[in-house]
Amino acid sequence: VGAVVVFALGTNGAAVDEQMDDLMAVVGGEKTVYLINTRSRQPWVQTTNDTLARAAERYSNVSLIDWFALSANHDEYFDGDGTHLSEEGARVYVEMLRHATGFPLPEPPDPEAEAQQADAEQLQTLLPSGRTKTLAIAQEVASTLSSPLSPTR
């Protein structure tokens, strides 16, 4: 475990104070710990969120990241079950983590860049080996296209 530990708990069942104490005994007081509270339609959410808030009060190395408040009135952040994140919700969640922790996190994938890479790889398979200059030109052309190459073009 690194110097910083992030826990997102509570969507699959209630967390209670004794469990948090056990968890903190394993993690120790030397590490920076972030607890992310939860939002879900499950009946134990408030119990879990209260437990996480108390842990942040009891342990000086623990900070609470308030996903519950940030996601309030944003049904679009969740898929139909009200627990699992939509694509937009996942972006907001990662940005929340970036902001709260100050740590750089990976950028979400860029579908357009991925399509361009797939085009270049497809071109590479079509060219005879040893044609690196031709391949470089083909990759440059592929990167300017707005949609993937298809056999019908």
Side-chain angles (χ1 to χ4, degrees), residues 39 41 67 70-80 82-92:
R39 174 172 292 284
R41 295 179 186 148
W67 172 244
L70 183 64
S71 62
N73 301 312
H74 287 283
D75 291 341
E76 71 275 14
Y77 291 172
F78 301 92
D79 279 341
T83 299
H84 296 96
L85 300 179
S86 65
E87 189 174 324
E88 180 179 1
R91 279 194 295 273
V92 172

Side-chain angles (χ1 to χ4, degrees), residues 123 127 131-143:
L123 283 170
L127 293 172
R131 306 286 300 268
T132 55
K133 185 173 182 177
T134 304
L135 175 59
I137 293 168
Q139 287 175 328
E140 187 175 324
V141 169
S143 71

Side-chain angles (χ1 to χ4, degrees), residues 10-152:
T11 58
N12 293 322
V16 296
D17 291 330
E18 294 77 22
Q19 291 170 317
M20 291 307 304
D21 292 339
D22 291 345
L23 184 65
M24 290 307 298
V26 172
V27 171
E30 312 302 314
K31 299 181 184 312
T32 301
V33 177
Y34 293 96
L35 300 175
I36 305 170
N37 65 13
T38 191
R39 174 172 292 284
S40 176
R41 295 179 186 148
Q42 300 303 324
W44 57 77
V45 165
Q46 191 61 53
T47 299
T48 294
N49 289 348
D50 290 346
T51 297
L52 299 175
R54 284 191 301 273
E57 292 171 1
R58 287 195 322 271
Y59 295 96
S60 62
N61 61 323
V62 173
S63 297
L64 180 69
I65 300 174
D66 197 359
W67 172 244
F68 185 81
L70 183 64
S71 62
N73 301 312
H74 287 283
D75 291 341
E76 71 275 14
Y77 291 172
F78 301 92
D79 279 341
D81 65 0
T83 299
H84 296 96
L85 300 179
S86 65
E87 189 174 324
E88 180 179 1
R91 279 194 295 273
V92 172
Y93 194 90
V94 168
E95 194 55 41
M96 173 192 71
L97 285 172
R98 276 192 187 112
H99 179 75
T101 65
F103 292 112
L105 296 170
E107 292 293 328
D110 179 358
E112 187 174 320
E114 288 176 354
Q116 290 172 358
Q117 178 64 30
D119 289 347
E121 289 170 5
Q122 182 180 7
L123 283 170
Q124 186 174 9
T125 64
L126 299 174
L127 293 172
S129 61
R131 306 286 300 268
T132 55
K133 185 173 182 177
T134 304
L135 175 59
I137 293 168
Q139 287 175 328
E140 187 175 324
V141 169
S143 71
T144 64
L145 298 174
S146 61
S147 63
L149 293 175
S150 67
T152 59

